[in-house]
């Protein structure tokens, strides 16, 4: 039993205190901070400044590194480590890549399918194609990152000749009247005449949510393709000074104060 071993039930504020205490213990007495964007996800612009946060947690310093509530990352993390310890919807990515592999597509296409939703899997939904492409851009062939970027737009536009129709899922998710915004329409128009159009289109063709509920998908099946097509930096992702290193670090340490 905790500090409240009395027979009466805990009041709400005692429960909150206990939860906070438990959280602090797990955080090794550091204060984890929610960024403005995390609060906005709860519909709030309620920013709490550093001084006030520390006043609420007397004697504690802010977390400036790994959040011990999250799985531990190695010192020199690889893409595989992010798949295992940070990406929350790995199965969808593995299913898409498995489909592409079975269809006999070249490795660039398989990798593009494997990475197409890393934006959603590890970062943010809004404009996930753009975020995902930016994240991987320094490490993959430009064809792969280009395709990841524009698959977001192409998903809204059918191409029957390539075997892609407007997804039933989108009708269900967004309603029959949903129209993509002009920037998505423009992206689609630019993509149509681009030399890598088919690569992005193949992401859409393989972008389905379940092809066989019993199908076994395994990250191990893609380790070699990743090894040949994703330039893993020797310093580890996040520590290699590329234009997206900071994004990998943020994925690693999402609750650092700065
Ligand atoms: Fe996507
Ligand atoms: Fe997807």
């Amino acid at each position: 039993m905790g500090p409240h071993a009395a027979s009466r039930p805990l009041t709400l504020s005692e429960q909150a205190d206990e939860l906070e205490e438990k959280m602090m213990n797990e955080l090794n007495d550091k204060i984890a901070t929610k960024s403005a964007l995390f609060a906005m996800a709860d519909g709030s612009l309620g920013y709490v400044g550093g001084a006030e946060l520390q006043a609420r947690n007397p004697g504690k310093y802010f977390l400036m590194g790994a959040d011990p509530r999250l799985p531990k990352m190695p010192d020199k993390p690889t893409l595989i480590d992010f798949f295992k310890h940070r990406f929350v919807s790995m199965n969808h990515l593995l299913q898409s890549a498995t489909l592409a592999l079975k269809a006999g597509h070249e490795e660039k296409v398989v990798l593009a399918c494997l990475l197409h939703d890393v934006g959603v899997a590890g970062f943010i939904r809004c404009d996930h194609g753009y975020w995902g492409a930016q994240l991987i851009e320094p490490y993959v062939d430009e064809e792969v990152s280009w395709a990841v970027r524009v698959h977001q737009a192409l998903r809204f536009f059918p191409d029957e000749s390539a075997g892609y129709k407007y997804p039933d899922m989108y009708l269900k998710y967004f309603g029959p009247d949903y129209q993509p915004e002009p920037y998505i329409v423009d992206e689609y128009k630019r993509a149509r005449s681009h030399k890598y159009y088919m690569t992005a289109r193949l992401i859409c063709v393989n972008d389905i949510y379940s092809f066989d509920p019993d199908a076994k998908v395994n990250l191990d099946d893609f380790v070699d393709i990743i090894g040949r097509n994703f330039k893993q930096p020797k310093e580890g992702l996040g520590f290699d000074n590329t234009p997206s290193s900071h994004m990998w670090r943020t994925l690693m340490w999402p609750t650092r104060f700065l």
Side-chain angles (χ1 to χ4, degrees):
M1 296 291 276
H4 304 280
S7 54
R8 70 177 168 79
L10 301 185
T11 65
L12 276 180
S13 91
E14 282 169 348
Q15 285 177 32
D17 287 349
E18 198 157 84
L19 191 69
E20 194 167 339
E21 191 182 306
K22 184 169 172 282
M23 214 176 98
M24 280 300 160
N25 291 338
E26 285 171 1
L27 280 164
N28 301 328
D29 289 335
K30 293 286 201 305
I31 307 165
T33 35
K34 272 190 173 182
S35 294
L37 194 59
F38 304 169
M40 283 182 215
D42 295 324
S44 163
L45 297 177
Y47 176 75
V48 182
E52 188 183 337
L53 261 181
Q54 201 167 33
R56 288 183 197 172
N57 300 279
K60 305 225 165 31
Y61 294 117
F62 287 104
L63 189 67
M64 283 298 283
D67 188 324
R69 297 168 300 177
L70 293 170
K72 193 170 167 24
M73 294 289 285
D75 293 337
K76 296 177 179 177
T78 65
L79 179 64
I80 303 279
D81 294 316
F82 280 92
F83 264 96
K84 287 182 176 163
H85 304 309
R86 285 296 182 274
F87 296 166
V88 294
S89 54
M90 188 160 78
N91 206 50
H92 170 60
L93 295 174
L94 290 177
Q95 287 203 358
S96 296
T98 301
L99 258 193
L101 196 62
K102 282 184 177 161
H105 294 300
E106 60 174 317
E107 291 197 346
K108 265 190 262 185
V109 173
V110 175
L111 186 74
C113 290
L114 183 69
L115 297 176
H116 78 279
D117 280 342
V118 282
V120 172
F123 211 61
I124 194 166
R125 280 189 170 280
C126 173
D127 273 332
H128 74 285
Y130 298 85
W131 286 110
Q134 193 177 356
L135 187 65
I136 63 173
E137 205 138 45
Y139 312 101
V140 297
D141 191 282
E142 61 169 6
E143 183 174 349
V144 174
S145 51
W146 186 88
V148 168
R149 180 173 285 109
V150 306
H151 93 275
Q152 179 188 330
L154 258 51
R155 284 281 267 147
F156 291 97
F157 300 90
D159 182 346
E160 308 284 350
S161 70
Y164 182 78
K165 67 185 196 70
Y166 187 82
D168 293 336
M169 192 189 73
Y170 280 12
L171 286 173
K172 192 172 167 215
Y173 279 8
F174 310 124
D177 300 328
Y178 177 74
Q179 294 292 334
E181 295 85 342
Y183 81 96
I184 293 289
V185 177
D186 290 345
E187 192 74 270
Y188 166 68
K189 286 181 183 160
R190 283 193 300 268
R192 283 273 3 179
S193 54
H194 195 280
K195 60 180 170 177
Y196 299 144
Y197 169 76
M198 227 1 153
T199 312
R201 185 50 86 187
L202 283 172
I203 291 180
C204 303
V205 171
N206 291 286
D207 195 355
I208 55 169
Y209 279 79
S210 64
F211 59 95
D212 175 2
D214 299 321
K216 284 208 169 60
V217 288
N218 195 329
L219 186 59
D220 293 341
D221 295 342
F222 300 98
V223 168
D224 290 344
I225 290 178
I226 290 171
R228 284 190 290 270
N229 296 276
F230 186 94
K231 297 179 209 91
Q232 171 63 40
K234 61 180 187 321
E235 304 91 337
L237 287 166
F239 306 108
D240 51 336
N241 193 33
T242 72
S244 71
S245 294
H246 63 290
M247 296 171 71
W248 295 100
R249 291 196 299 270
T250 299
L251 277 178
M252 243 181 304
W253 305 320
T255 55
R256 273 176 71 118
F257 186 73
L258 291 177

